[in-house]
Amino acid sequence: MSTDRTRPAGRRDQSGPRSAPGGPRSASNGPRPASGGPRSVPPQRSRRLQPHRPLRPHQWFAERLLAVLSGQRPVHWMLGHTIGEAYDQLAELAPSTPLRATHGSRPVLRHCRGAQPATGVVEAFASIAAGDRVRAMAFRLEQGADQRWRCAAVELGGERLTAGVPGPR
């Protein structure tokens, strides 16, 4: 039986364990190179390994409004996230699905930016692409006393979505 505890049982080669670059090395591995390890390998960055940044309120709402206005989600999905006439505007417009897919391409959120003109208010705009078509969407968020953000108004393609007044089709 072997008394060498650094080698797995049944292993017959004479090389010892290897260490990770920059880690401790044993005498059997030879002297450490001046570069700090057997070879310099730059650290790799992966999107999966980076911590997930939570969406800002206007980005979160833009995704939800896109889902409703493209017909991917029902209007009542926004019921607790709207105030005032915003829900009525969405309910009036959603059946026509103004941001629906064109030529088989699903609409995606290209850009979304927001500005805070006053405390507890965010005015945001987004560009939505579906195939070769790009549409603009603007909306206003207001923060309630419970610190939750709610959509207060929606505009699409330069025309305000008002209840009872159909938009361009």
Side-chain angles (χ1 to χ4, degrees):
M1 181 157 145
S2 173
T3 58
D4 185 2
R5 296 191 184 271
T6 60
R7 192 173 337 164
R11 185 169 173 179
R12 301 207 187 282
D13 64 344
Q14 296 301 315
S15 64
R18 295 183 184 187
S19 63
R25 299 175 58 90
S26 66
S28 65
N29 287 344
R32 171 175 258 172
S35 65
R39 63 180 119 122
S40 292
V41 178
Q44 295 181 0
R45 296 189 180 211
S46 171
R47 288 187 175 188
R48 291 182 182 177
L49 297 178
Q50 293 177 353
H52 178 68
R53 234 174 57 189
L55 292 177
R56 292 182 174 178
H58 60 277
Q59 295 166 324
W60 188 83
F61 271 92
E63 291 284 351
R64 291 183 80 90
L65 289 169
L66 172 61
V68 170
L69 295 174
S70 64
Q72 298 171 30
R73 293 287 186 165
V75 180
H76 68 266
W77 195 50
M78 292 292 292
L79 190 58
H81 303 290
T82 56
I83 57 174
E85 293 182 12
Y87 184 79
D88 295 333
Q89 294 168 352
L90 288 172
E92 181 74 27
L93 190 69
S96 66
T97 59
L99 299 177
R100 67 186 165 274
T102 58
H103 306 292
S105 60
R106 186 176 176 180
V108 294
L109 186 65
R110 288 179 54 190
H111 301 286
C112 183
R113 303 283 188 266
Q116 195 166 7
T119 304
V121 175
V122 172
E123 292 182 348
F125 65 92
S127 64
I128 294 133
D132 59 349
R133 187 174 181 189
V134 178
R135 300 282 307 263
M137 176 174 63
F139 53 98
R140 179 181 174 98
L141 303 177
E142 295 178 4
Q143 193 172 29
D146 59 356
Q147 300 301 305
R148 290 182 54 204
W149 291 97
R150 290 180 179 85
C151 184
V154 179
E155 292 183 19
L156 187 64
E159 294 194 26
R160 186 170 173 90
L161 305 177
T162 57
V165 180
R169 301 198 181 183

